[in-house]
Amino acid sequence: MIPAPLGLLAELTHRCPLACPYCSNPLELEGRAAELSAAAWSRVFREAAALGVLQVHLSGGEPASRRDLDEIVSAANDAGLYTNLITSAIGLDAKRLARLRMGGLDHVQLSVQDVTPASADRIAGYSGAHERKLAFARSVTELGLALTINAVIHRANIDSVAALVELAVSLGAGRVEIAHAQYYGWALRNRDALMPTRAQVERAMHEIEDIRARYLHHIVIDMVTPDYYARRPKACMGGWGRRSLNVTPSGRALPCHAAPTIPGLEFWSVHDHTLAEIWLESPAFQAFRGTAWMREPCRSCAMREKDFGGCRCQAMALAGDPAATDPVCELSPLHALVGELAERDATSDVSDYAYRGRKPSRLEEVT
């Protein structure tokens, strides 16, 4: 029996004022003209609730780029969904945030690039972003909304993981996610400028354990070993088509955010099918659901019902085959290659980022 999904990632737009070098959005962005209307999102939310979804994560790009964000938040609340806004804070102020809260917003997840303005703004590719984020975070807690700080970790900020946790505590966050960059899409293009060294990773892991004990009753700290330095893969998305689904700005339904990097998958649209039909029957969701698709060594592995073979998109990126064992796994014949790639890129002298959609004059403002 296929379990009901618990979460829906609603990608409201691919428009974004930032140009983060680890951007998880696809290389080919969906344009504004193709974005679902607020009415269409309202229908999707109702179908999601009927399917069993409990929470919706309003994401992008930057959701605040949508002028009808208030209407979309209200629609999610009316559907009975716990509503989380994933934002860079650019385009939001205290007044607009207050309207979102009145419309039913429950939680804000704010991205922070580093602890110092100069470094944070350089990573984001946007001058003044960091100070605006700090001011916005204070508005979130003043309104009584739950706050999570999300920091994507890479070479430029990994030595600040403890300081990032302390920043989150000072801002009144209840949770901080220390999320290592995932190397596909735009991050894969910048891997040689983003990859930390093994020594940096090990030091950061120790620092997090120490600070987790210090703030045990103050904040929840989520951090996992970055894939390229791990021995076993994570159960990406809790297993393909098991716990959550994504809907892109144009209405394509995906088993995971990076699924379009896998060639040959057929993605159904909410324009043509209900969310229940997509979840239960669409070819893309069926492709790697469960364990029947697995080859050795995954097929006979004792961990197959826990890690589900790891990340299919990472297998595609590193092995050229989405059905291969995730090369992060030490049982993969390509595992040694992952370590070699990590060591090579971590010691690269490349420090300049390939920013998405930024003109040189804009970059000069933040470097």
Side-chain angles (χ1 to χ4, degrees):
M1 182 177 178
I2 299 173
L6 300 178
L8 168 66
L9 180 67
E11 299 176 10
L12 304 184
T13 181
H14 279 160
R15 290 175 281 149
C16 186
L18 304 189
C20 302
Y22 48 75
C23 179
S24 60
N25 281 330
L27 296 180
E28 296 294 328
L29 301 179
E30 296 179 352
R32 179 175 183 172
E35 292 173 2
L36 294 178
S37 67
W41 278 116
S42 180
R43 174 178 58 80
V44 169
F45 296 153
R46 293 194 302 272
E47 291 178 358
L51 184 58
V53 169
L54 301 177
Q55 53 193 3
V56 61
H57 307 280
L58 305 178
S59 181
E62 172 49 60
S65 299
R66 295 279 304 238
R67 295 181 180 178
D68 54 0
L69 181 60
D70 297 26
E71 184 179 350
I72 292 172
V73 167
S74 294
N77 179 66
D78 290 345
L81 299 172
Y82 184 88
T83 306
N84 174 38
L85 179 67
I86 303 174
T87 181
S88 69
I90 307 302
L92 288 168
D93 57 19
K95 289 183 178 179
R96 192 176 185 195
L97 181 64
R99 294 199 305 270
L100 295 176
R101 184 183 182 278
M102 289 294 293
L105 183 65
D106 297 296
H107 185 280
V108 173
Q109 187 170 332
L110 174 66
S111 65
V112 173
Q113 279 68 33
D114 207 341
V115 293
T116 63
S119 176
D121 291 354
R122 177 180 180 272
I123 295 167
Y126 193 104
S127 182
H130 186 69
E131 292 300 331
R132 293 173 71 171
K133 288 170 181 283
L134 299 187
F136 177 76
R138 297 184 185 102
S139 296
V140 172
T141 54
E142 287 171 2
L143 284 170
L145 287 163
L147 174 66
T148 291
I149 296 297
N150 180 64
V152 176
I153 301 301
H154 46 88
R155 189 192 307 165
N157 64 7
I158 191 170
D159 294 329
S160 301
V161 290
L164 282 163
V165 173
E166 290 171 344
L167 175 62
V169 172
S170 73
L171 293 172
R175 178 181 296 269
V176 58
E177 295 184 2
I178 305 297
H180 285 270
Q182 298 292 301
Y183 296 105
Y184 39 70
W186 207 259
L188 185 60
R189 180 173 295 188
N190 281 293
R191 192 178 63 191
D192 56 355
L194 294 170
M195 183 70 70
T197 65
R198 184 178 294 276
Q200 283 182 303
V201 169
E202 291 175 350
R203 183 165 58 249
M205 297 297 286
H206 287 304
E207 288 179 1
I208 286 296
E209 289 308 312
D210 290 343
I211 205 165
R212 182 177 278 130
R214 193 187 322 164
Y215 289 111
L216 181 62
H217 301 295
H218 295 84
I219 193 168
V220 176
I221 303 172
D222 292 331
M223 180 177 178
V224 294
T225 304
D227 287 345
Y228 278 56
Y229 290 108
R231 293 176 56 197
R232 290 297 180 110
K234 301 185 293 291
C236 188
M237 304 297 294
W240 184 280
R242 292 188 73 249
R243 298 178 61 182
S244 62
L245 72 164
N246 298 14
V247 175
T248 73
S250 68
R252 288 193 305 166
L254 312 177
C256 82
H257 193 76
T261 63
I262 299 176
L265 292 182
E266 180 186 344
F267 301 109
W268 287 3
S269 170
V270 297
H271 289 294
D272 307 314
H273 300 273
T274 67
L275 217 56
E277 289 172 341
I278 292 169
W279 179 254
L280 296 172
E281 302 172 16
S282 72
F285 280 80
Q286 300 283 13
F288 301 107
R289 182 178 265 152
T291 60
W293 58 271
M294 291 181 177
R295 307 170 188 159
E296 294 295 346
C298 295
R299 182 180 292 272
S300 58
C301 180
M303 298 293 291
R304 65 185 180 277
E305 297 282 358
K306 295 182 178 179
D307 62 29
F308 297 95
C311 178
R312 298 301 89 222
C313 302
Q314 191 156 255
M316 181 67 218
L318 294 174
D321 181 359
T325 300
D326 187 339
V328 164
C329 181
E330 62 184 350
L331 300 180
S332 166
L334 297 177
H335 181 68
L337 172 63
V338 178
E340 292 170 6
L341 289 173
E343 295 297 336
R344 183 198 70 190
D345 287 344
T347 56
S348 165
D349 59 2
V350 174
S351 58
D352 292 334
Y353 301 134
Y355 292 94
R356 185 201 291 274
R358 280 288 183 267
K359 297 179 180 179
S361 60
R362 185 55 166 166
L363 296 182
E364 289 170 4
E365 296 178 12
V366 297
T367 55

